[in-house]
Amino acid sequence: KDKLLPIDLKEVSCFYTADKNTCIYLKDGNVYPYSKTLEQIMASLNPADFIRANKQFILARNSVTDITIWFDNLSLYLGVGTS
């Protein structure tokens, strides 16, 4: 429950927040809660590896598998496994 789990940033697909709860989504499909805000997380990440997509997501650039432009909207698809 309250234990530290070391996670290699190469395994992170994205960070997501909703209702003031942040989670880390890994490429293998696992999801873990994280106690920091997206602002705090983004300040510690390399911008060459991660991008702030919107108010709720920070994406790992190497997880984006497809980009689709639909009228004035942009859809990004991530390569996240399902376990």
Side-chain angles (χ1 to χ4, degrees):
K1 181 179 174 179
D2 290 331
K3 65 183 192 179
L4 296 175
L5 179 67
I7 295 175
D8 188 342
L9 285 176
K10 293 176 185 164
E11 298 303 316
V12 174
S13 183
C14 70
F15 298 89
Y16 173 74
T17 190
D19 301 322
K20 298 186 180 185
N21 295 309
T22 302
C23 290
I24 301 174
Y25 286 75
L26 302 183
K27 293 177 183 175
D28 65 5
N30 286 317
V31 180
Y32 298 100
Y34 196 52
S35 62
K36 297 193 177 200
T37 67
L38 291 187
E39 290 79 16
Q40 293 169 323
I41 295 167
M42 195 66 205
S44 68
L45 295 173
N46 183 345
D49 298 327
F50 290 87
I51 187 167
R52 181 76 182 256
N54 61 26
K55 294 187 325 183
Q56 293 181 292
F57 284 97
I58 296 173
L59 306 176
R61 291 179 187 263
N62 65 3
S63 289
V64 177
T65 59
D66 189 32
I67 299 173
T68 303
I69 299 172
W70 181 257
F71 295 99
D72 289 332
N73 294 316
L74 188 67
S75 294
L76 300 173
Y77 298 90
L78 300 179
V80 178
T82 54
S83 56

